[in-house]
mmCIF file of all heavy atoms in Angstrom:
data_model
loop_
_atom_site.group_PDB
_atom_site.id
_atom_site.type_symbol
_atom_site.label_atom_id
_atom_site.label_comp_id
_atom_site.label_asym_id
_atom_site.label_seq_id
_atom_site.Cartn_x
_atom_site.Cartn_y
_atom_site.Cartn_z
ATOM 1 N N MET A 1 -78.446 -24.904 -113.909
ATOM 2 C CA MET A 1 -77.934 -25.981 -113.105
ATOM 3 C C MET A 1 -78.189 -25.658 -111.636
ATOM 4 O O MET A 1 -77.971 -24.552 -111.195
ATOM 5 C CB MET A 1 -76.433 -26.140 -113.337
ATOM 6 C CG MET A 1 -75.833 -27.218 -112.477
ATOM 7 S SD MET A 1 -74.123 -27.576 -112.880
ATOM 8 C CE MET A 1 -73.294 -26.404 -111.855
ATOM 9 N N ILE A 2 -78.647 -26.626 -110.863
ATOM 10 C CA ILE A 2 -78.878 -26.461 -109.438
ATOM 11 C C ILE A 2 -77.703 -27.060 -108.690
ATOM 12 O O ILE A 2 -77.317 -28.197 -108.934
ATOM 13 C CB ILE A 2 -80.185 -27.143 -108.998
ATOM 14 C CG1 ILE A 2 -81.362 -26.485 -109.701
ATOM 15 C CG2 ILE A 2 -80.340 -27.073 -107.496
ATOM 16 C CD1 ILE A 2 -82.676 -27.149 -109.432
ATOM 17 N N ALA A 3 -77.142 -26.275 -107.789
ATOM 18 C CA ALA A 3 -76.012 -26.749 -106.997
ATOM 19 C C ALA A 3 -76.333 -26.593 -105.521
ATOM 20 O O ALA A 3 -76.869 -25.583 -105.109
ATOM 21 C CB ALA A 3 -74.765 -25.946 -107.347
ATOM 22 N N PHE A 4 -76.012 -27.603 -104.743
ATOM 23 C CA PHE A 4 -76.203 -27.565 -103.301
ATOM 24 C C PHE A 4 -74.837 -27.535 -102.634
ATOM 25 O O PHE A 4 -73.932 -28.257 -103.033
ATOM 26 C CB PHE A 4 -76.966 -28.807 -102.820
ATOM 27 C CG PHE A 4 -78.375 -28.853 -103.312
ATOM 28 C CD1 PHE A 4 -78.692 -29.517 -104.476
ATOM 29 C CD2 PHE A 4 -79.384 -28.221 -102.613
ATOM 30 C CE1 PHE A 4 -79.995 -29.567 -104.938
ATOM 31 C CE2 PHE A 4 -80.690 -28.257 -103.063
ATOM 32 C CZ PHE A 4 -80.999 -28.935 -104.231
ATOM 33 N N HIS A 5 -74.709 -26.702 -101.613
ATOM 34 C CA HIS A 5 -73.457 -26.584 -100.876
ATOM 35 C C HIS A 5 -73.766 -26.613 -99.398
ATOM 36 O O HIS A 5 -74.794 -26.113 -98.964
ATOM 37 C CB HIS A 5 -72.735 -25.285 -101.246
ATOM 38 C CG HIS A 5 -72.427 -25.199 -102.695
ATOM 39 N ND1 HIS A 5 -71.318 -25.789 -103.253
ATOM 40 C CD2 HIS A 5 -73.097 -24.640 -103.722
ATOM 41 C CE1 HIS A 5 -71.331 -25.582 -104.556
ATOM 42 N NE2 HIS A 5 -72.400 -24.893 -104.860
ATOM 43 N N LEU A 6 -72.863 -27.154 -98.600
ATOM 44 C CA LEU A 6 -73.054 -27.206 -97.156
ATOM 45 C C LEU A 6 -72.745 -25.854 -96.531
ATOM 46 O O LEU A 6 -71.795 -25.173 -96.918
ATOM 47 C CB LEU A 6 -72.154 -28.270 -96.529
ATOM 48 C CG LEU A 6 -72.463 -29.711 -96.890
ATOM 49 C CD1 LEU A 6 -71.450 -30.641 -96.235
ATOM 50 C CD2 LEU A 6 -73.863 -30.093 -96.480
ATOM 51 N N THR A 7 -73.557 -25.469 -95.538
ATOM 52 C CA THR A 7 -73.343 -24.236 -94.804
ATOM 53 C C THR A 7 -72.106 -24.368 -93.920
ATOM 54 O O THR A 7 -71.926 -25.369 -93.246
ATOM 55 C CB THR A 7 -74.563 -23.928 -93.919
ATOM 56 O OG1 THR A 7 -75.709 -23.817 -94.742
ATOM 57 C CG2 THR A 7 -74.381 -22.639 -93.140
ATOM 58 N N THR A 8 -71.257 -23.347 -93.924
ATOM 59 C CA THR A 8 -70.082 -23.318 -93.056
ATOM 60 C C THR A 8 -70.035 -21.973 -92.344
ATOM 61 O O THR A 8 -70.839 -21.084 -92.613
ATOM 62 C CB THR A 8 -68.781 -23.500 -93.872
ATOM 63 O OG1 THR A 8 -68.619 -22.371 -94.727
ATOM 64 C CG2 THR A 8 -68.800 -24.775 -94.689
ATOM 65 N N ASP A 9 -69.069 -21.808 -91.462
ATOM 66 C CA ASP A 9 -68.921 -20.530 -90.766
ATOM 67 C C ASP A 9 -68.116 -19.521 -91.584
ATOM 68 O O ASP A 9 -67.968 -18.381 -91.199
ATOM 69 C CB ASP A 9 -68.296 -20.726 -89.392
ATOM 70 C CG ASP A 9 -66.925 -21.376 -89.450
ATOM 71 O OD1 ASP A 9 -66.550 -21.886 -90.513
ATOM 72 O OD2 ASP A 9 -66.242 -21.376 -88.415
ATOM 73 N N GLN A 10 -67.609 -19.923 -92.726
ATOM 74 C CA GLN A 10 -66.866 -19.042 -93.621
ATOM 75 C C GLN A 10 -67.832 -18.277 -94.538
ATOM 76 O O GLN A 10 -68.960 -18.707 -94.746
ATOM 77 C CB GLN A 10 -65.905 -19.860 -94.492
ATOM 78 C CG GLN A 10 -64.882 -20.641 -93.716
ATOM 79 C CD GLN A 10 -63.919 -19.746 -92.968
ATOM 80 O OE1 GLN A 10 -63.562 -18.679 -93.449
ATOM 81 N NE2 GLN A 10 -63.530 -20.158 -91.786
ATOM 82 N N SER A 11 -67.386 -17.158 -95.077
ATOM 83 C CA SER A 11 -68.195 -16.417 -96.045
ATOM 84 C C SER A 11 -68.459 -17.297 -97.257
ATOM 85 O O SER A 11 -67.562 -17.991 -97.732
ATOM 86 C CB SER A 11 -67.469 -15.155 -96.503
ATOM 87 O OG SER A 11 -67.249 -14.304 -95.423
ATOM 88 N N THR A 12 -69.667 -17.270 -97.740
ATOM 89 C CA THR A 12 -70.029 -18.081 -98.892
ATOM 90 C C THR A 12 -69.498 -17.445 -100.166
ATOM 91 O O THR A 12 -69.616 -16.241 -100.373
ATOM 92 C CB THR A 12 -71.557 -18.228 -98.995
ATOM 93 O OG1 THR A 12 -72.047 -18.748 -97.771
ATOM 94 C CG2 THR A 12 -71.949 -19.139 -100.126
ATOM 95 N N THR A 13 -68.918 -18.282 -101.017
ATOM 96 C CA THR A 13 -68.443 -17.816 -102.316
ATOM 97 C C THR A 13 -69.142 -18.601 -103.419
ATOM 98 O O THR A 13 -69.598 -19.722 -103.214
ATOM 99 C CB THR A 13 -66.917 -17.984 -102.452
ATOM 100 O OG1 THR A 13 -66.583 -19.345 -102.242
ATOM 101 C CG2 THR A 13 -66.167 -17.110 -101.461
ATOM 102 N N CYS A 14 -69.209 -18.002 -104.571
ATOM 103 C CA CYS A 14 -69.861 -18.612 -105.730
ATOM 104 C C CYS A 14 -69.075 -19.847 -106.187
ATOM 105 O O CYS A 14 -67.854 -19.780 -106.352
ATOM 106 C CB CYS A 14 -69.928 -17.597 -106.861
ATOM 107 S SG CYS A 14 -70.592 -18.258 -108.409
ATOM 108 N N PRO A 15 -69.774 -20.974 -106.398
ATOM 109 C CA PRO A 15 -69.079 -22.168 -106.870
ATOM 110 C C PRO A 15 -68.623 -22.064 -108.328
ATOM 111 O O PRO A 15 -67.794 -22.847 -108.777
ATOM 112 C CB PRO A 15 -70.122 -23.267 -106.709
ATOM 113 C CG PRO A 15 -71.429 -22.562 -106.764
ATOM 114 C CD PRO A 15 -71.196 -21.211 -106.170
ATOM 115 N N ILE A 16 -69.131 -21.082 -109.059
ATOM 116 C CA ILE A 16 -68.759 -20.903 -110.471
ATOM 117 C C ILE A 16 -67.531 -20.007 -110.617
ATOM 118 O O ILE A 16 -66.545 -20.394 -111.230
ATOM 119 C CB ILE A 16 -69.943 -20.308 -111.288
ATOM 120 C CG1 ILE A 16 -71.187 -21.168 -111.165
ATOM 121 C CG2 ILE A 16 -69.551 -20.084 -112.750
ATOM 122 C CD1 ILE A 16 -71.057 -22.575 -111.715
ATOM 123 N N CYS A 17 -67.587 -18.793 -110.019
ATOM 124 C CA CYS A 17 -66.503 -17.827 -110.232
ATOM 125 C C CYS A 17 -65.693 -17.520 -108.977
ATOM 126 O O CYS A 17 -64.641 -16.888 -109.064
ATOM 127 C CB CYS A 17 -67.057 -16.534 -110.818
ATOM 128 S SG CYS A 17 -68.036 -15.558 -109.649
ATOM 129 N N GLY A 18 -66.166 -17.913 -107.801
ATOM 130 C CA GLY A 18 -65.425 -17.690 -106.562
ATOM 131 C C GLY A 18 -65.677 -16.351 -105.886
ATOM 132 O O GLY A 18 -65.096 -16.076 -104.841
ATOM 133 N N ALA A 19 -66.526 -15.513 -106.466
ATOM 134 C CA ALA A 19 -66.846 -14.216 -105.848
ATOM 135 C C ALA A 19 -67.740 -14.420 -104.630
ATOM 136 O O ALA A 19 -68.356 -15.472 -104.453
ATOM 137 C CB ALA A 19 -67.545 -13.310 -106.864
ATOM 138 N N ARG A 20 -67.828 -13.408 -103.792
ATOM 139 C CA ARG A 20 -68.695 -13.487 -102.613
ATOM 140 C C ARG A 20 -70.149 -13.592 -103.045
ATOM 141 O O ARG A 20 -70.522 -13.156 -104.124
ATOM 142 C CB ARG A 20 -68.498 -12.263 -101.735
ATOM 143 C CG ARG A 20 -67.108 -12.262 -101.092
ATOM 144 C CD ARG A 20 -66.984 -11.134 -100.141
ATOM 145 N NE ARG A 20 -67.949 -11.340 -99.058
ATOM 146 C CZ ARG A 20 -67.693 -11.176 -97.787
ATOM 147 N NH1 ARG A 20 -66.502 -10.780 -97.423
ATOM 148 N NH2 ARG A 20 -68.604 -11.375 -96.880
ATOM 149 N N ALA A 21 -70.961 -14.170 -102.160
ATOM 150 C CA ALA A 21 -72.379 -14.369 -102.460
ATOM 151 C C ALA A 21 -73.235 -13.702 -101.392
ATOM 152 O O ALA A 21 -72.839 -13.591 -100.234
ATOM 153 C CB ALA A 21 -72.698 -15.856 -102.542
ATOM 154 N N GLU A 22 -74.415 -13.278 -101.800
ATOM 155 C CA GLU A 22 -75.374 -12.618 -100.928
ATOM 156 C C GLU A 22 -76.535 -13.565 -100.643
ATOM 157 O O GLU A 22 -76.983 -14.283 -101.531
ATOM 158 C CB GLU A 22 -75.895 -11.362 -101.639
ATOM 159 C CG GLU A 22 -77.031 -10.668 -100.961
ATOM 160 C CD GLU A 22 -77.533 -9.492 -101.773
ATOM 161 O OE1 GLU A 22 -77.653 -9.616 -103.013
ATOM 162 O OE2 GLU A 22 -77.804 -8.465 -101.166
ATOM 163 N N GLU A 23 -77.036 -13.539 -99.415
ATOM 164 C CA GLU A 23 -78.181 -14.370 -99.049
ATOM 165 C C GLU A 23 -79.467 -13.711 -99.538
ATOM 166 O O GLU A 23 -79.759 -12.574 -99.207
ATOM 167 C CB GLU A 23 -78.226 -14.543 -97.533
ATOM 168 C CG GLU A 23 -79.307 -15.475 -97.071
ATOM 169 C CD GLU A 23 -79.246 -15.720 -95.579
ATOM 170 O OE1 GLU A 23 -78.194 -16.142 -95.093
ATOM 171 O OE2 GLU A 23 -80.262 -15.473 -94.913
ATOM 172 N N LEU A 24 -80.241 -14.439 -100.343
ATOM 173 C CA LEU A 24 -81.519 -13.938 -100.834
ATOM 174 C C LEU A 24 -82.663 -14.364 -99.931
ATOM 175 O O LEU A 24 -83.579 -13.593 -99.669
ATOM 176 C CB LEU A 24 -81.787 -14.436 -102.259
ATOM 177 C CG LEU A 24 -80.803 -14.004 -103.332
ATOM 178 C CD1 LEU A 24 -81.182 -14.626 -104.663
ATOM 179 C CD2 LEU A 24 -80.760 -12.494 -103.439
ATOM 180 N N SER A 25 -82.634 -15.615 -99.481
ATOM 181 C CA SER A 25 -83.681 -16.164 -98.611
ATOM 182 C C SER A 25 -83.067 -17.160 -97.642
ATOM 183 O O SER A 25 -82.089 -17.818 -97.947
ATOM 184 C CB SER A 25 -84.759 -16.875 -99.423
ATOM 185 O OG SER A 25 -85.479 -15.964 -100.197
ATOM 186 N N ASN A 26 -83.714 -17.261 -96.482
ATOM 187 C CA ASN A 26 -83.239 -18.151 -95.437
ATOM 188 C C ASN A 26 -84.399 -19.042 -95.006
ATOM 189 O O ASN A 26 -85.426 -18.549 -94.556
ATOM 190 C CB ASN A 26 -82.741 -17.305 -94.273
ATOM 191 C CG ASN A 26 -82.238 -18.125 -93.132
ATOM 192 O OD1 ASN A 26 -82.744 -19.198 -92.822
ATOM 193 N ND2 ASN A 26 -81.225 -17.609 -92.477
ATOM 194 N N PHE A 27 -84.241 -20.345 -95.167
ATOM 195 C CA PHE A 27 -85.256 -21.319 -94.783
ATOM 196 C C PHE A 27 -84.735 -22.256 -93.704
ATOM 197 O O PHE A 27 -85.092 -23.422 -93.651
ATOM 198 C CB PHE A 27 -85.717 -22.117 -96.012
ATOM 199 C CG PHE A 27 -86.383 -21.255 -97.046
ATOM 200 C CD1 PHE A 27 -85.664 -20.750 -98.112
ATOM 201 C CD2 PHE A 27 -87.721 -20.939 -96.935
ATOM 202 C CE1 PHE A 27 -86.271 -19.953 -99.055
ATOM 203 C CE2 PHE A 27 -88.345 -20.144 -97.879
ATOM 204 C CZ PHE A 27 -87.617 -19.642 -98.942
ATOM 205 N N LEU A 28 -83.864 -21.751 -92.823
ATOM 206 C CA LEU A 28 -83.291 -22.575 -91.764
ATOM 207 C C LEU A 28 -84.330 -22.946 -90.709
ATOM 208 O O LEU A 28 -84.154 -23.903 -89.972
ATOM 209 C CB LEU A 28 -82.103 -21.861 -91.109
ATOM 210 C CG LEU A 28 -80.897 -21.631 -92.020
ATOM 211 C CD1 LEU A 28 -79.811 -20.871 -91.285
ATOM 212 C CD2 LEU A 28 -80.378 -22.950 -92.554
ATOM 213 N N HIS A 29 -85.421 -22.204 -90.646
ATOM 214 C CA HIS A 29 -86.486 -22.467 -89.674
ATOM 215 C C HIS A 29 -87.456 -23.549 -90.157
ATOM 216 O O HIS A 29 -88.365 -23.925 -89.439
ATOM 217 C CB HIS A 29 -87.254 -21.175 -89.397
ATOM 218 C CG HIS A 29 -87.918 -20.607 -90.616
ATOM 219 N ND1 HIS A 29 -87.204 -19.946 -91.597
ATOM 220 C CD2 HIS A 29 -89.196 -20.633 -91.030
ATOM 221 C CE1 HIS A 29 -88.039 -19.577 -92.559
ATOM 222 N NE2 HIS A 29 -89.253 -19.981 -92.236
ATOM 223 N N THR A 30 -87.259 -24.060 -91.367
ATOM 224 C CA THR A 30 -88.145 -25.086 -91.921
ATOM 225 C C THR A 30 -87.446 -26.447 -91.893
ATOM 226 O O THR A 30 -86.260 -26.550 -91.584
ATOM 227 C CB THR A 30 -88.533 -24.764 -93.381
ATOM 228 O OG1 THR A 30 -87.370 -24.875 -94.199
ATOM 229 C CG2 THR A 30 -89.130 -23.374 -93.503
ATOM 230 N N ILE A 31 -88.171 -27.469 -92.259
ATOM 231 C CA ILE A 31 -87.601 -28.823 -92.297
ATOM 232 C C ILE A 31 -86.527 -28.951 -93.384
ATOM 233 O O ILE A 31 -85.613 -29.760 -93.273
ATOM 234 C CB ILE A 31 -88.716 -29.876 -92.472
ATOM 235 C CG1 ILE A 31 -88.196 -31.262 -92.102
ATOM 236 C CG2 ILE A 31 -89.283 -29.858 -93.866
ATOM 237 C CD1 ILE A 31 -89.270 -32.292 -91.881
ATOM 238 N N VAL A 32 -86.596 -28.128 -94.409
ATOM 239 C CA VAL A 32 -85.627 -28.174 -95.515
ATOM 240 C C VAL A 32 -84.260 -27.638 -95.078
ATOM 241 O O VAL A 32 -83.232 -28.141 -95.486
ATOM 242 C CB VAL A 32 -86.148 -27.384 -96.729
ATOM 243 C CG1 VAL A 32 -85.160 -27.394 -97.865
ATOM 244 C CG2 VAL A 32 -87.486 -27.909 -97.177
ATOM 245 N N GLN A 33 -84.228 -26.615 -94.241
ATOM 246 C CA GLN A 33 -83.025 -25.975 -93.709
ATOM 247 C C GLN A 33 -82.020 -25.612 -94.790
ATOM 248 O O GLN A 33 -80.943 -26.188 -94.891
ATOM 249 C CB GLN A 33 -82.384 -26.839 -92.637
ATOM 250 C CG GLN A 33 -83.247 -26.999 -91.415
ATOM 251 C CD GLN A 33 -82.501 -27.603 -90.263
ATOM 252 O OE1 GLN A 33 -81.441 -28.198 -90.415
ATOM 253 N NE2 GLN A 33 -83.051 -27.432 -89.080
ATOM 254 N N LEU A 34 -82.381 -24.631 -95.606
ATOM 255 C CA LEU A 34 -81.462 -24.168 -96.635
ATOM 256 C C LEU A 34 -81.490 -22.662 -96.755
ATOM 257 O O LEU A 34 -82.381 -21.997 -96.254
ATOM 258 C CB LEU A 34 -81.747 -24.820 -97.986
ATOM 259 C CG LEU A 34 -83.086 -24.585 -98.692
ATOM 260 C CD1 LEU A 34 -83.117 -23.275 -99.439
ATOM 261 C CD2 LEU A 34 -83.359 -25.720 -99.633
ATOM 262 N N LYS A 35 -80.466 -22.134 -97.423
ATOM 263 C CA LYS A 35 -80.370 -20.719 -97.755
ATOM 264 C C LYS A 35 -80.230 -20.613 -99.263
ATOM 265 O O LYS A 35 -79.572 -21.438 -99.887
ATOM 266 C CB LYS A 35 -79.129 -20.084 -97.117
ATOM 267 C CG LYS A 35 -79.154 -20.071 -95.615
ATOM 268 C CD LYS A 35 -77.852 -19.483 -95.088
ATOM 269 C CE LYS A 35 -77.795 -19.517 -93.591
ATOM 270 N NZ LYS A 35 -76.513 -19.009 -93.082
ATOM 271 N N ILE A 36 -80.849 -19.598 -99.837
ATOM 272 C CA ILE A 36 -80.694 -19.326 -101.264
ATOM 273 C C ILE A 36 -79.731 -18.152 -101.393
ATOM 274 O O ILE A 36 -79.928 -17.111 -100.777
ATOM 275 C CB ILE A 36 -82.039 -19.011 -101.934
ATOM 276 C CG1 ILE A 36 -82.986 -20.207 -101.775
ATOM 277 C CG2 ILE A 36 -81.832 -18.659 -103.411
ATOM 278 C CD1 ILE A 36 -84.390 -19.955 -102.274
ATOM 279 N N LYS A 37 -78.679 -18.349 -102.171
ATOM 280 C CA LYS A 37 -77.622 -17.345 -102.323
ATOM 281 C C LYS A 37 -77.494 -16.930 -103.778
ATOM 282 O O LYS A 37 -77.809 -17.691 -104.691
ATOM 283 C CB LYS A 37 -76.280 -17.916 -101.859
ATOM 284 C CG LYS A 37 -76.253 -18.445 -100.446
ATOM 285 C CD LYS A 37 -75.998 -17.335 -99.484
ATOM 286 C CE LYS A 37 -75.829 -17.861 -98.078
ATOM 287 N NZ LYS A 37 -74.766 -17.209 -97.362
ATOM 288 N N GLU A 38 -76.983 -15.702 -103.992
ATOM 289 C CA GLU A 38 -76.718 -15.205 -105.339
ATOM 290 C C GLU A 38 -75.323 -14.604 -105.380
ATOM 291 O O GLU A 38 -74.929 -13.853 -104.480
ATOM 292 C CB GLU A 38 -77.739 -14.138 -105.732
ATOM 293 C CG GLU A 38 -77.509 -13.593 -107.128
ATOM 294 C CD GLU A 38 -78.516 -12.526 -107.520
ATOM 295 O OE1 GLU A 38 -79.003 -11.814 -106.639
ATOM 296 O OE2 GLU A 38 -78.794 -12.423 -108.716
ATOM 297 N N CYS A 39 -74.589 -14.910 -106.428
ATOM 298 C CA CYS A 39 -73.247 -14.382 -106.630
ATOM 299 C C CYS A 39 -73.316 -12.865 -106.811
ATOM 300 O O CYS A 39 -74.195 -12.349 -107.500
ATOM 301 C CB CYS A 39 -72.632 -15.032 -107.871
ATOM 302 S SG CYS A 39 -71.004 -14.394 -108.278
ATOM 303 N N LEU A 40 -72.372 -12.140 -106.184
ATOM 304 C CA LEU A 40 -72.336 -10.684 -106.296
ATOM 305 C C LEU A 40 -71.585 -10.189 -107.533
ATOM 306 O O LEU A 40 -71.603 -9.000 -107.834
ATOM 307 C CB LEU A 40 -71.708 -10.082 -105.032
ATOM 308 C CG LEU A 40 -72.532 -10.258 -103.758
ATOM 309 C CD1 LEU A 40 -71.755 -9.759 -102.553
ATOM 310 C CD2 LEU A 40 -73.865 -9.545 -103.878
ATOM 311 N N ASN A 41 -70.948 -11.091 -108.265
ATOM 312 C CA ASN A 41 -70.254 -10.733 -109.497
ATOM 313 C C ASN A 41 -71.308 -10.429 -110.568
ATOM 314 O O ASN A 41 -72.095 -11.304 -110.939
ATOM 315 C CB ASN A 41 -69.348 -11.889 -109.934
ATOM 316 C CG ASN A 41 -68.591 -11.612 -111.204
ATOM 317 O OD1 ASN A 41 -68.883 -10.684 -111.945
ATOM 318 N ND2 ASN A 41 -67.598 -12.440 -111.463
ATOM 319 N N THR A 42 -71.329 -9.212 -111.077
ATOM 320 C CA THR A 42 -72.359 -8.818 -112.051
ATOM 321 C C THR A 42 -72.267 -9.583 -113.366
ATOM 322 O O THR A 42 -73.247 -9.663 -114.096
ATOM 323 C CB THR A 42 -72.295 -7.296 -112.335
ATOM 324 O OG1 THR A 42 -70.985 -6.958 -112.775
ATOM 325 C CG2 THR A 42 -72.653 -6.502 -111.086
ATOM 326 N N ASP A 43 -71.125 -10.166 -113.671
ATOM 327 C CA ASP A 43 -70.994 -10.966 -114.889
ATOM 328 C C ASP A 43 -71.473 -12.403 -114.681
ATOM 329 O O ASP A 43 -71.724 -13.115 -115.645
ATOM 330 C CB ASP A 43 -69.539 -10.996 -115.365
ATOM 331 C CG ASP A 43 -69.071 -9.632 -115.851
ATOM 332 O OD1 ASP A 43 -69.911 -8.861 -116.359
ATOM 333 O OD2 ASP A 43 -67.870 -9.341 -115.706
ATOM 334 N N CYS A 44 -71.613 -12.830 -113.439
ATOM 335 C CA CYS A 44 -71.986 -14.214 -113.136
ATOM 336 C C CYS A 44 -73.437 -14.313 -112.643
ATOM 337 O O CYS A 44 -74.274 -14.936 -113.279
ATOM 338 C CB CYS A 44 -71.030 -14.783 -112.082
ATOM 339 S SG CYS A 44 -71.353 -16.500 -111.628
ATOM 340 N N LYS A 45 -73.718 -13.734 -111.465
ATOM 341 C CA LYS A 45 -75.055 -13.718 -110.849
ATOM 342 C C LYS A 45 -75.658 -15.116 -110.669
ATOM 343 O O LYS A 45 -76.869 -15.299 -110.682
ATOM 344 C CB LYS A 45 -76.024 -12.831 -111.639
ATOM 345 C CG LYS A 45 -75.607 -11.388 -111.733
ATOM 346 C CD LYS A 45 -75.416 -10.766 -110.394
ATOM 347 C CE LYS A 45 -76.601 -9.954 -109.970
ATOM 348 N NZ LYS A 45 -76.417 -9.311 -108.692
ATOM 349 N N HIS A 46 -74.818 -16.124 -110.476
ATOM 350 C CA HIS A 46 -75.269 -17.507 -110.276
ATOM 351 C C HIS A 46 -76.070 -17.608 -108.976
ATOM 352 O O HIS A 46 -75.663 -17.078 -107.939
ATOM 353 C CB HIS A 46 -74.042 -18.435 -110.218
ATOM 354 C CG HIS A 46 -74.356 -19.864 -109.989
ATOM 355 N ND1 HIS A 46 -75.032 -20.638 -110.894
ATOM 356 C CD2 HIS A 46 -74.068 -20.663 -108.938
ATOM 357 C CE1 HIS A 46 -75.155 -21.866 -110.409
ATOM 358 N NE2 HIS A 46 -74.572 -21.903 -109.225
ATOM 359 N N VAL A 47 -77.218 -18.266 -109.014
ATOM 360 C CA VAL A 47 -78.044 -18.494 -107.836
ATOM 361 C C VAL A 47 -77.901 -19.955 -107.432
ATOM 362 O O VAL A 47 -77.987 -20.843 -108.278
ATOM 363 C CB VAL A 47 -79.524 -18.149 -108.117
ATOM 364 C CG1 VAL A 47 -80.397 -18.479 -106.922
ATOM 365 C CG2 VAL A 47 -79.662 -16.681 -108.495
ATOM 366 N N PHE A 48 -77.662 -20.195 -106.141
ATOM 367 C CA PHE A 48 -77.465 -21.564 -105.663
ATOM 368 C C PHE A 48 -78.010 -21.725 -104.264
ATOM 369 O O PHE A 48 -78.353 -20.758 -103.593
ATOM 370 C CB PHE A 48 -75.972 -21.946 -105.722
ATOM 371 C CG PHE A 48 -75.059 -21.031 -104.926
ATOM 372 C CD1 PHE A 48 -74.672 -21.380 -103.647
ATOM 373 C CD2 PHE A 48 -74.598 -19.842 -105.465
ATOM 374 C CE1 PHE A 48 -73.826 -20.549 -102.919
ATOM 375 C CE2 PHE A 48 -73.765 -19.018 -104.752
ATOM 376 C CZ PHE A 48 -73.371 -19.370 -103.458
ATOM 377 N N PHE A 49 -78.123 -22.968 -103.838
ATOM 378 C CA PHE A 49 -78.641 -23.319 -102.519
ATOM 379 C C PHE A 49 -77.494 -23.717 -101.610
ATOM 380 O O PHE A 49 -76.544 -24.345 -102.048
ATOM 381 C CB PHE A 49 -79.603 -24.506 -102.593
ATOM 382 C CG PHE A 49 -80.810 -24.254 -103.411
ATOM 383 C CD1 PHE A 49 -80.828 -24.580 -104.765
ATOM 384 C CD2 PHE A 49 -81.937 -23.691 -102.858
ATOM 385 C CE1 PHE A 49 -81.945 -24.354 -105.527
ATOM 386 C CE2 PHE A 49 -83.069 -23.472 -103.612
ATOM 387 C CZ PHE A 49 -83.072 -23.804 -104.953
ATOM 388 N N GLU A 50 -77.623 -23.373 -100.341
ATOM 389 C CA GLU A 50 -76.680 -23.804 -99.328
ATOM 390 C C GLU A 50 -77.498 -24.531 -98.269
ATOM 391 O O GLU A 50 -78.485 -23.992 -97.766
ATOM 392 C CB GLU A 50 -75.995 -22.575 -98.743
ATOM 393 C CG GLU A 50 -74.858 -22.864 -97.826
ATOM 394 C CD GLU A 50 -74.173 -21.576 -97.409
ATOM 395 O OE1 GLU A 50 -74.759 -20.833 -96.613
ATOM 396 O OE2 GLU A 50 -73.064 -21.325 -97.901
ATOM 397 N N ILE A 51 -77.148 -25.776 -97.956
ATOM 398 C CA ILE A 51 -77.945 -26.562 -97.020
ATOM 399 C C ILE A 51 -77.189 -26.770 -95.716
ATOM 400 O O ILE A 51 -75.952 -26.771 -95.690
ATOM 401 C CB ILE A 51 -78.357 -27.922 -97.627
ATOM 402 C CG1 ILE A 51 -77.141 -28.734 -98.050
ATOM 403 C CG2 ILE A 51 -79.305 -27.728 -98.787
ATOM 404 C CD1 ILE A 51 -77.464 -30.130 -98.513
ATOM 405 N N GLU A 52 -77.941 -26.949 -94.633
ATOM 406 C CA GLU A 52 -77.348 -27.222 -93.325
ATOM 407 C C GLU A 52 -76.755 -28.629 -93.319
ATOM 408 O O GLU A 52 -77.290 -29.535 -93.921
ATOM 409 C CB GLU A 52 -78.407 -27.111 -92.230
ATOM 410 C CG GLU A 52 -78.692 -25.703 -91.780
ATOM 411 C CD GLU A 52 -77.501 -25.023 -91.095
ATOM 412 O OE1 GLU A 52 -76.953 -25.592 -90.145
ATOM 413 O OE2 GLU A 52 -77.143 -23.936 -91.538
ATOM 414 N N ASN A 53 -75.673 -28.781 -92.591
ATOM 415 C CA ASN A 53 -74.999 -30.073 -92.491
ATOM 416 C C ASN A 53 -75.801 -31.046 -91.668
ATOM 417 O O ASN A 53 -76.417 -30.768 -90.716
ATOM 418 C CB ASN A 53 -73.631 -29.853 -91.862
ATOM 419 C CG ASN A 53 -72.728 -31.040 -92.013
ATOM 420 O OD1 ASN A 53 -73.110 -32.060 -92.566
ATOM 421 N ND2 ASN A 53 -71.520 -30.911 -91.533
#
């Protein structure tokens, strides 16, 4: 499942389990303006996109 979330000034958490997420890639310099994040919970590891508002 692909999930998009808006970028905020708060630490990003996983939309599935609520654990903190790590930034894998940053495309804020492109027209798409998104970040790819991965959940740090080893049981979850959900990958999702965070987009600029």
Side-chain angles (χ1 to χ4, degrees):
M1 178 172 88
I2 297 175
F4 293 93
H5 301 277
L6 293 178
T7 301
T8 66
D9 59 348
Q10 300 295 325
S11 298
T12 305
T13 57
C14 175
I16 304 297
C17 71
R20 292 185 64 136
E22 172 183 42
E23 185 175 304
L24 298 178
S25 293
N26 179 325
F27 297 95
L28 295 178
H29 61 284
T30 67
I31 197 164
V32 179
Q33 295 192 343
L34 63 81
K35 296 177 183 177
I36 300 174
K37 304 275 186 139
E38 180 180 30
C39 177
L40 293 174
N41 180 346
T42 56
D43 292 330
C44 181
K45 300 303 261 182
H46 179 66
V47 176
F48 58 97
F49 298 92
E50 188 175 73
I51 58 174
E52 279 295 307
N53 194 359

